[in-house]
């Protein structure tokens, strides 16, 4: 049956029933759940009497029916197995039958309505378990699944059965009865069941904070006052204010607040329209007034639930992102500490190896042959590579932990490029490669740390010589760009594919050259990127296979 109540008395009955069912569902298993069927059956009995007394619209069919909504919510929240389901269903059927008799229905109508209501309730529970098993209304998908399965589809067979029986038994209009039944029962399940499912321990705990509790009371109280004013008078055209207020409740109170607000709006809108008040009192009569109020809530106000679900979903994703960021930061800190510790542990023994190798090569440890001198030289060279790796590891660890300090001051970019060119020219692998410096324009002064900038450009020059030296030319270019200075290191080597460009600045990624004869550890570019960012600049690469590569750095102008 359907549920529409007096704007005053039904509020107490519906809210009391909803609170009772929600408290029973929220208690831990083994304490409150055994009593849930009894309390729910009592609430259903009260709601049946109230609905039939105050909300009959099309013959004996009520325009708003809360009994099914309360029963579905508590059943879904407290189900513990087939035996529990059987006993719960029996008690609910008894409550519905008792309410029908107390409201004055005949035994025949009582049996028919009890069967129709239990068909609807059982189908709603089964469909909800099948298509919305998590009962999570805090997501758009979960809310849509539950509303579609339990509120839209479940009442249809019951509406057809009850309307057909009423036509056969009393000659009532089939279409009017079915229409009133479906709208009223769909509204009751959509509103009260959603409120019951949203009323969880976690949601209630939010309102233990006094400020939030006061905010909820003010917003919901304001909505109740506004709806009472709109739907208790015939001419008060301020109903448009209801929607912004519902949106504000969705933003501030999320799903629990919205479902509570919809309970208030539904009771006052349908109840007031049934009693001949509200915006539909003049233009419509009887069942049509109730129908328009039902349509207003179902299609005008119910979509606010999806807004609240979307906001809840966004909050959940934001929380996950924050937790992921915290975990990533902790992992990064642990990695930085590990790199720093490893680098420190490497430096001391490597320094000893270099010292011994130098003494051995110089003959200070005794007479040496030419082969031994060559081996000592190889030993020193390898040890220095390890030492350079240790220094790079320390720099990476310091940069990631924020321990690297930069002093930004006006820096002559062409001068830095010339210094790097001269240093690079002394490298053994730079022999036969022409190194050019090109300055396009005057006033190429960047706001940078000259030492760190030199380190970055030297790293790019080293890579250009090692990987792009086959082109025979490496160009250092400085130019103005917007309000900054652009530095480019250009080679004529083999170039890079788009896939490799995306991996360039990842630490310890040598793009598959780990087994090549080219020395390196895959740290330099990652460190260069961090150092450039610390100076307020950006770094990148422009390249294509067979066309060389251009590594660029952009820094703010001084």
């Amino acid at each position: 049956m359907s549920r529409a109540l007096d704007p005053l008395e039904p509020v107490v009955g519906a809210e009391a029933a909803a609170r009772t069912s929600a408290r029973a569902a929220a208690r831990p298993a083994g304490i409150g759940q055994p009593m849930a069927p009894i309390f729910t059956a009592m609430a259903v009995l009260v709601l049946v009497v109230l609905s039939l007394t105050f909300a009959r619209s099309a013959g004996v069919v009520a325009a708003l029916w809360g009994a099914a909504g309360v029963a579905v919510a508590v059943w879904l929240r407290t189900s513990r197995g087939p035996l529990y389901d059987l006993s719960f269903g029996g008690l609910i059927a008894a409550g519905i039958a008792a309410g029908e008799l107390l409201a004055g229905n005949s035994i025949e109508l009582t049996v028919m309505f009890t069967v129709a209501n239990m068909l609807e309730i059982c189908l709603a529970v089964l469909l909800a378990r099948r298509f919305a098993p998590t009962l999570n209304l805090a997501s758009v998908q979960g809310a849509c699944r539950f509303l579609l399965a339990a509120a839209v589809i479940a009442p249809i067979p019951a509406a057809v059965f009850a309307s057909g029986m009423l036509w056969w038994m009393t000659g009532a209009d089939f279409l009017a009865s079915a229409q009133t039944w479906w709208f009223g029962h769909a509204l009751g399940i959509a509103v009260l069941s959603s409120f019951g499912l949203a009323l969880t321990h976690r949601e209630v705990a939010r309102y233990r904070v006094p400020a939030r509790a006061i905010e909820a009371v003010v917003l919901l109280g304001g909505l109740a006052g506004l709806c009472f004013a709109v739907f208790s008078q015939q001419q008060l055209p301020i109903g448009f204010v209801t929607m912004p207020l519902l949106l504000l409740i969705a933003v501030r109170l999320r799903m629990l607040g919205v479902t509570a607000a919809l309970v208030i709006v539904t009771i006052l809108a349908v109840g007031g329209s049934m009693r001949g008040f509200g915006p539909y009192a003049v233009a419509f009569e009887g069942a049509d007034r109730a129908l328009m109020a039902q349509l207003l809530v179902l299609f005008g106000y119910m979509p606010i639930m999806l807004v609240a679900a979307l906001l809840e979903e966004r909050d959940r994703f934001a929380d996950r992102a924050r937790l992921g960021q915290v975990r990533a930061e902790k992992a990064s800190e642990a990695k930085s500490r590990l790199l720093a510790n490893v680098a420190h542990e490497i430096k001391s023994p490597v320094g000893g190896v270099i010292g011994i190798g130098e003494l051995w090569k110089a003959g200070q440890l005794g007479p040496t042959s030419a082969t031994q001198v060559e081996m000592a030289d190889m030993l020193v060279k390898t040890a220095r590579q390890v030492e350079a790796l240790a220094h790079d590891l320390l720099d990476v660890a310091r940069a990631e932990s924020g321990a690297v300090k930069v002093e930004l001051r006006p820096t002559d970019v062409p001068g830095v490029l010339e210094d790097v060119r001269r240093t690079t020219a002394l490298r053994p692998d730079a022999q036969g490669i022409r190194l050019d410096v090109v300055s396009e324009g005057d006033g190429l002064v960047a706001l940078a740390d000259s030492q760190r900038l030199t380190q970055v450009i030297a790293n790019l020059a080293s890579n250009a010589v090692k990987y792009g030296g086959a082109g025979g030319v490496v160009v250092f270019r400085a130019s103005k760009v917007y309000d900054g200075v652009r530095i480019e290191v250009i080679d004529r080597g083999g170039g890079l594919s788009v896939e490799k460009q995306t991996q360039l600045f990842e630490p310890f990624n040598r793009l598959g050259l780990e087994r090549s004869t080219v020395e390196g550890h895959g740290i330099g570019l990652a460190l260069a990127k961090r150092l450039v960012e610390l100076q307020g600049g950006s770094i990148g690469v422009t390249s294509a296979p067979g066309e060389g590569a251009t590594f660029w750095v952009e820094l703010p102008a001084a």
Side-chain angles (χ1 to χ4, degrees):
M1 281 192 140
S2 316
R3 153 157 175 36
L5 309 175
D6 179 83
L8 296 178
E9 293 185 50
V11 173
V12 178
E15 292 182 348
R19 285 197 298 270
T20 300
S21 63
R23 282 198 298 269
R27 292 190 186 106
I31 298 177
Q33 283 187 352
M35 299 300 294
I38 298 175
F39 289 134
T40 306
M42 295 171 59
V44 165
L45 186 152
V46 172
L47 289 174
V48 169
V49 174
L50 290 174
S51 295
L52 294 178
T53 302
F54 297 103
R56 277 179 173 162
S57 174
V60 293
V61 181
L64 185 59
W65 188 256
V70 172
V72 169
V74 181
W75 198 338
L76 289 172
R77 288 282 299 271
T78 62
S79 179
R80 301 169 64 185
L83 184 60
Y84 179 90
D85 289 345
L86 186 62
S87 62
F88 191 98
L91 286 171
I92 296 301
I96 293 173
E100 296 280 349
L101 292 173
L102 289 175
N105 278 339
S106 65
I107 295 178
E108 292 81 3
L109 286 177
T110 296
V111 173
M112 187 273 292
F113 280 134
T114 301
V115 171
N117 276 281
M118 289 308 299
L119 171 64
E120 175 181 277
I121 292 170
C122 293
L123 186 58
V125 171
L126 291 174
L127 290 177
R129 288 176 177 173
R130 173 64 179 85
F131 296 103
T134 61
L135 302 179
N136 179 23
L137 300 184
S139 70
V140 176
Q141 185 181 36
C144 289
R145 282 172 170 266
F146 175 77
L147 292 176
L148 182 62
V152 176
I153 297 176
I156 294 177
V160 173
F161 171 76
S163 302
M165 292 298 294
L166 285 174
W167 172 78
W168 180 64
M169 296 169 66
T170 66
D173 184 274
F174 176 86
L175 183 60
S177 298
Q179 176 181 272
T180 303
W181 179 291
W182 184 85
F183 278 113
H185 287 238
L187 194 56
I189 293 176
V191 173
L192 287 180
S193 293
S194 298
F195 176 65
L197 293 178
L199 195 63
T200 63
H201 275 306
R202 187 185 67 178
E203 292 296 325
V204 172
R206 294 181 180 180
Y207 298 96
R208 293 176 183 173
V209 180
R212 185 175 288 273
I214 293 172
E215 181 183 28
V217 170
V218 170
L219 289 175
L220 294 177
L223 178 68
L226 174 64
C227 290
F228 183 80
V230 171
F231 296 103
S232 64
Q233 301 185 39
Q234 292 186 358
Q235 297 295 331
L236 191 60
I238 58 173
F240 61 89
V241 183
T242 307
M243 183 62 74
L245 189 54
L246 280 172
L247 286 172
L248 179 60
I249 291 173
V251 171
R252 299 299 303 168
L253 306 182
R254 295 298 193 266
M255 183 59 71
L256 180 58
V258 164
T259 53
L262 289 173
V263 171
I264 295 172
V265 172
T266 302
I267 292 173
L268 294 176
V270 180
S273 298
M274 287 292 301
R275 292 174 64 83
F277 300 108
Y280 308 118
V282 177
F284 300 93
E285 295 181 0
D288 291 335
R289 288 200 302 264
L291 175 62
M292 293 305 298
Q294 291 169 335
L295 291 173
L296 173 67
V297 177
L298 278 173
F299 300 107
Y301 297 146
M302 284 300 297
I304 301 295
M305 270 188 62
L306 302 183
V307 175
L310 183 63
L311 293 173
E312 293 266 17
E313 206 166 24
R314 187 205 63 177
D315 292 343
R316 188 165 60 254
F317 289 149
D319 290 340
R320 290 179 182 175
R322 281 193 293 269
L323 290 175
Q325 182 179 2
V326 170
R327 286 195 294 266
E329 288 175 352
K330 289 182 178 179
S332 179
E333 291 175 3
K335 181 192 71 176
S336 298
R337 287 195 299 271
L338 175 63
L339 289 177
N341 292 337
V342 169
H344 279 296
E345 294 296 327
I346 289 175
K347 285 178 64 178
S348 297
V350 166
V353 171
I354 291 174
I356 294 173
E358 293 285 1
L359 293 174
W360 185 21
K361 184 172 66 172
Q364 297 182 23
L365 299 181
T368 55
S369 63
T371 302
Q372 290 175 329
V373 170
E374 183 180 358
M375 293 179 62
D377 187 60
M378 292 175 59
L379 176 65
V380 171
K381 182 179 179 181
T382 303
R384 291 198 183 281
Q385 292 175 358
V386 176
E387 185 182 42
L389 171 62
H391 283 294
D392 287 344
L393 288 174
L394 274 176
D395 284 338
V396 169
R398 289 169 181 164
E400 291 187 348
S401 65
V404 173
K405 304 300 180 183
V406 294
E407 290 186 34
L408 301 181
R409 55 181 181 268
T411 301
D412 179 42
V413 172
V416 171
L417 297 183
E418 181 61 29
D419 290 342
V420 173
R421 186 196 69 80
R422 291 175 181 176
T423 304
T424 306
L426 299 176
R427 294 172 56 94
D429 49 4
Q431 301 301 317
I433 299 176
R434 192 176 82 249
L435 306 175
D436 296 333
V437 175
V438 178
S439 299
E440 298 180 350
D442 299 325
L444 297 172
V445 180
L447 189 63
D449 185 310
S450 59
Q451 180 182 354
R452 295 301 182 182
L453 179 59
T454 300
Q455 183 178 357
V456 170
I457 304 304
N459 180 275
L460 298 180
S462 174
N463 287 344
V465 168
K466 287 191 294 184
Y467 301 108
V473 178
V474 173
V475 178
F476 302 87
R477 176 186 294 164
S479 59
K480 287 185 177 181
V481 53
Y482 304 114
D483 58 346
V485 178
R486 182 182 179 95
I487 303 168
E488 295 176 336
V489 179
I490 307 167
D491 67 65
R492 299 289 186 267
L496 298 164
S497 65
V498 176
E499 181 182 359
K500 289 185 176 181
Q501 291 178 43
T502 60
Q503 306 173 28
L504 266 178
F505 298 97
E506 296 176 0
F508 306 106
N509 189 341
R510 295 199 60 205
L511 308 181
L513 296 177
E514 292 82 357
R515 298 183 179 180
S516 69
T517 57
V518 181
E519 298 175 358
H521 306 97
I523 299 176
L525 287 178
L527 177 59
K529 183 175 186 294
R530 182 59 179 157
L531 293 177
V532 169
E533 290 172 349
L534 286 174
Q535 297 174 76
S538 57
I539 186 173
V541 63
T542 303
S543 181
E547 298 181 8
T550 298
F551 285 84
W552 54 265
V553 173
E554 291 184 359
L555 294 168

